[in-house]
Amino acid sequence: FEPDPDAPPRAARVTTPMVISPPDGRIPFQPWAAEQRGEIMARQDELAHLDPRVKCLPSALPRAHLPVGYNTYQIEQGPGFVLMLYEWNHHSRYIPLDDSPHIDPAIRLGMGDSRGRWEGNTLVVDTTNFTDRTAFRGSGEALHVVERFTRVDADTILYEFTVDDPTTWDRSWSVEIPMVKTDGRLYEY
């Protein structure tokens, strides 16, 4: 990743995840999904409603990049791929950059199937083929995530994602989060 020398400086850095679309900053849940989300939040101490990460299950995208508790990760780039290593639950994510199509839709994965491409200095990652257990903010297996990783300076990558699942939300919605470099190491979980 190289910073774009022609990019205008950002006036203010966001330090927490911000819903940037829709403009009202609200996740556009369908009524049934909003009701279910409320029930889950009210009963989140019960095993069935615990966050998947607490049960050592894959942290769905884009949850893997949200700043909760701790979540150190490392991004490596090789010829034709990007590899993301996550401290939380030892997860890794291989993202091919070779224009290959997504895997067969019948194959479902906890972290989905990612395909990447470069748009200038921005890594764009398109992920599909999630399971019905992925459950990012109530989503189902129709979840589709498009992520954008843009290097804005030597220590910051602007992470943006747009999620869509017509079975859960009325429309797609997007979030923006700065990923700030640390000098910390990736430890065994």
Side-chain angles (χ1 to χ4, degrees):
F1 286 110
E2 292 296 325
D4 182 352
D6 300 322
R10 296 185 59 81
R13 276 209 188 139
V14 178
T15 57
T16 57
M18 298 288 298
V19 175
I20 57 173
S21 175
D24 66 5
R26 296 176 187 260
I27 298 173
F29 285 107
Q30 291 185 13
W32 74 267
E35 183 178 326
Q36 182 184 59
R37 178 83 178 147
E39 289 175 22
I40 289 170
M41 295 308 291
R43 300 171 51 199
Q44 60 186 333
D45 59 337
E46 297 175 20
L47 182 61
H49 299 290
L50 286 175
D51 185 295
R53 292 177 300 183
V54 176
K55 296 185 277 188
C56 297
L57 296 172
S59 179
L61 298 172
R63 183 185 304 138
H65 295 286
L66 295 179
V68 290
Y70 74 90
N71 192 20
T72 304
Y73 38 89
Q74 181 176 333
I75 302 172
E76 297 287 337
Q77 183 176 349
F81 70 92
V82 170
L83 181 65
M84 296 187 180
L85 305 169
Y86 302 92
E87 185 173 36
W88 192 291
N89 289 347
H90 309 305
H91 293 305
S92 62
R93 181 176 175 205
Y94 177 81
I95 304 166
L97 303 173
D98 61 2
D99 295 325
S100 60
H102 283 286
I103 59 175
D104 185 306
I107 299 171
R108 298 292 170 168
L109 305 168
M111 294 275 288
D113 177 54
S114 298
R115 296 290 183 258
R117 68 181 183 281
W118 288 100
E119 289 181 2
N121 71 329
T122 299
L123 173 63
V124 180
V125 181
D126 183 273
T127 307
T128 61
N129 295 55
F130 291 97
T131 73
D132 61 351
R133 303 178 113 205
T134 299
F136 176 70
R137 301 291 192 263
S139 68
E141 65 180 28
L143 177 64
H144 180 203
V145 180
V146 176
E147 301 163 286
R148 302 177 70 80
F149 299 83
T150 305
R151 188 82 176 258
V152 294
D153 62 40
D155 294 326
T156 312
I157 293 175
L158 181 63
Y159 174 60
E160 302 169 84
F161 66 81
T162 299
V163 293
D164 185 52
D165 180 349
T167 65
T168 304
W169 305 301
D170 288 331
R171 61 190 176 282
S172 62
W173 52 281
S174 303
V175 171
E176 176 178 289
I177 307 164
M179 298 168 78
V180 180
K181 180 182 176 181
T182 65
D183 292 326
R185 295 178 42 184
L186 202 62
Y187 289 98
E188 185 174 331
Y189 179 70

